[in-house]
Amino acid sequence: MPYPTRAILTGHTRGLGAAIAAQLLAQDIEVLGLSRTANAGLAARYPGALSQVELDLADLSALTGWLAGDTLIRFMDGAQQVLLVNNAGVLAPVGGLADQSPAQVARAVSVNVAAPMMLAAAVAECAARSGGQSPDTRIVHVSSGAARNAYPGWSIYCATKAALDQHARAVALDGSPLLRISSVAPGVVDTDMQAEIRGTGLDRFPLRERFDALKRDGQLATPEDSACKLVQHLLSDTFGSHPTADIRDLP
């Protein structure tokens, strides 16, 4: 049976990405997952509906080479609606400027900024090249409150997430009638990234105790709840009406 809606999702193997993949698959949306490793559990639960590409998004040469192939356009072929969920992201490097490894900075910019923008451009191009009626194309960048508020020790993470917000704002101004885009902050979600934050020394991240308290007081959202809200918004008629959003503010 053809899938009228198909989704490309990065970082689908754990945390919020795995929960988003499960939400999409449960709604009979075929998923193409891009990550360094495969998600064997979801592949077993949804045979035939989950395609996976093992790809390190920090390796921009490898991503460029993959995009030059025909996997993406073949996956999108015949779909009435195409979703791109740019979920993959990294927190490191954390610390003051003098403590940041240039190699870690390059990796963060590659994963958090270059890869999402490359995939967005590629999906839009494939949609424009599709035969017949171009599909309803929707792009969501998984952003962060750090895109809109600066935190000490997080200069790279804040800057890269802010870049996604600004990318969405500018693309929205292009006014493409068949493309909607929004950079959406998912709230504070109980993922491996939160564990990484709590494991960071106070000398590198002075606000760590705030995140310790969120975990201790049960204030972190579950990946499943955040994924449900994100996917519901992505599929709604109102998606794209605002180029930046926070799921905690959505109805």
Side-chain angles (χ1 to χ4, degrees), residues 90-251:
V90 296
L91 177 65
V94 174
L97 194 59
D99 297 321
Q100 296 172 8
S101 157
Q104 284 188 314
V105 172
R107 178 175 182 81
V109 173
S110 296
V111 175
N112 294 0
V113 183
M117 291 184 185
M118 291 166 67
L119 286 163
V123 166
E125 180 186 14
C126 288
R129 289 169 51 194
S130 63
Q133 179 67 38
S134 295
D136 168 24
T137 304
R138 303 186 178 198
I139 298 171
V140 59
H141 298 320
V142 176
S143 184
S144 168
R148 299 146 204 184
N149 299 281
Y151 294 97
W154 279 13
S155 59
I156 300 303
Y157 188 68
C158 290
T160 54
K161 289 300 184 180
L164 293 183
D165 281 11
Q166 195 72 338
H167 179 260
R169 293 186 185 106
V171 170
L173 291 176
D174 292 339
S176 174
L178 293 175
L179 188 148
R180 307 187 199 186
I181 188 169
S182 185
S183 191
V184 181
V188 188
V189 188
D190 196 1
T191 62
D192 289 348
M193 185 176 288
Q194 283 296 312
E196 183 181 351
I197 292 168
R198 295 192 299 274
T200 304
L202 287 171
D203 58 326
R204 288 182 176 266
F205 185 49
L207 299 182
R208 190 200 71 197
E209 291 177 340
R210 179 188 300 178
F211 291 83
D212 291 340
L214 289 172
K215 175 67 172 179
R216 183 179 61 248
D217 299 338
Q219 297 299 307
L220 298 178
T222 67
E224 292 73 22
D225 283 348
S226 293
C228 180
K229 293 176 182 177
L230 184 75
V231 171
Q232 184 179 38
H233 177 55
L234 177 58
L235 296 174
S236 72
D237 291 339
T238 61
F239 178 78
S241 56
H242 298 285
T244 61
D246 189 313
I247 62 169
R248 291 169 293 190
D249 299 330
L250 298 174

Side-chain angles (χ1 to χ4, degrees), residues 58-77:
D59 187 343
L60 298 184
S61 294
L63 177 57
T64 299
W66 182 75
L67 290 173
D70 64 352
T71 302
L72 182 61
I73 196 165
R74 285 193 292 107
F75 177 76
M76 292 173 55
D77 184 47

